[in-house]
Amino acid sequence: MTYVTDTQQALFGSFVDEQTVAQAELDTHIEAQAQTIAPIAPVKDPLTDRDRTIIATIVNQSDYPHDCQPQDVVTIWINPDNIVWVKMTHGFARFNKEPFKAAVAEIKATLPETPRERNERLSAELEEACTKFGLWHGQVDWLSFSTKVFRGNHLVGFVGCNDEGWYGRRYQYSPNQKADSAETAITSLGVRVAVAA
């Protein structure tokens, strides 16, 4: 009987070795496939913290059974039937597209504007004022929202907007002339609207 037992152990041992080798080959193959399809750089999360806050607020205003925190929102998508799906760490919520879109706009209006939204708003106002006066501006310092304003190649002055509002100044180190709009800031530089003759 000892002979049979030794044979069975030898066969079983051989089987285990083959299985181990096969598993190692499979693991290597899977790893190679993962490297092939893995992105070169990490993918940036398309949802900002502000987006997650808005979505969580909408979910909490619905009949969803769990309390949803912004960090619970994983992703969001719209299917071809115009249904908005929100995937959260504890489940899914679904909404019709148009009411969801209206809720996003309503909540966005109650949140303070982001620095980017502020810069976009100020930039649009500055562009409109420069066009009205026939001016152009240099590169904007987005952190302090300030820039140089030109008529042709002639430097007219400096215009910007800070916590106190719009301002204009003729020279680099002259005091700011406070204004209530980009247009008023430009007129504080002595610029007038060109009148057609």
Side-chain angles (χ1 to χ4, degrees):
M1 271 314 215
T2 307
Y3 176 74
V4 173
T5 305
D6 288 341
T7 305
Q8 287 176 346
Q9 286 177 344
L11 288 173
F12 183 70
S14 173
F15 176 73
V16 170
D17 290 340
E18 289 176 17
Q19 185 178 8
T20 304
V21 169
Q23 185 64 47
E25 288 176 2
L26 179 61
D27 290 344
T28 303
H29 178 69
I30 290 172
E31 180 64 29
Q33 290 296 319
Q35 293 300 324
T36 303
I37 62 172
I40 303 295
V43 176
K44 184 176 181 272
D45 188 354
L47 295 176
T48 64
D49 290 339
R50 183 178 170 93
D51 294 336
R52 288 185 190 329
T53 300
I54 293 169
I55 294 167
T57 304
I58 294 170
V59 170
N60 287 332
Q61 292 173 351
S62 72
D63 59 354
Y64 187 72
H66 300 286
D67 183 41
C68 182
Q69 299 300 315
Q71 63 271 16
D72 294 333
V73 177
V74 177
T75 190
I76 184 172
W77 71 91
I78 301 173
N79 71 6
D81 299 338
N82 285 330
I83 301 295
V84 176
W85 286 93
V86 178
K87 180 180 179 186
M88 292 160 288
T89 56
H90 40 65
F92 292 86
R94 67 178 274 199
F95 303 91
N96 289 321
K97 179 182 173 185
E98 292 308 316
F100 188 85
K101 189 175 171 183
V104 167
E106 182 181 318
I107 292 168
K108 238 183 194 181
T110 65
L111 296 175
E113 69 183 350
T114 64
R116 180 178 181 163
E117 290 170 336
R118 175 187 179 270
N119 283 344
E120 288 172 353
R121 177 179 54 80
L122 295 175
S123 181
E125 189 176 340
L126 179 61
E127 288 294 331
E128 184 179 326
C130 282
T131 302
K132 181 176 182 177
F133 289 99
L135 304 174
W136 64 277
H137 63 82
Q139 185 173 358
V140 175
D141 177 350
W142 296 107
L143 292 177
S144 63
F145 200 87
S146 60
T147 187
K148 296 176 182 177
V149 180
F150 299 88
R151 177 169 271 152
N153 289 332
H154 175 69
L155 175 64
V156 175
F158 301 83
V159 174
C161 189
N162 57 25
D163 292 338
E164 298 174 7
W166 283 97
Y167 65 85
R169 66 175 183 264
R170 289 187 183 199
Y171 306 104
Q172 177 79 29
Y173 299 109
S174 60
N176 291 343
Q177 302 280 328
K178 292 182 184 178
D180 59 355
S181 68
E183 188 175 319
T184 309
I186 290 173
T187 58
S188 74
L189 302 174
V191 177
R192 301 290 175 251
V193 177
V195 180

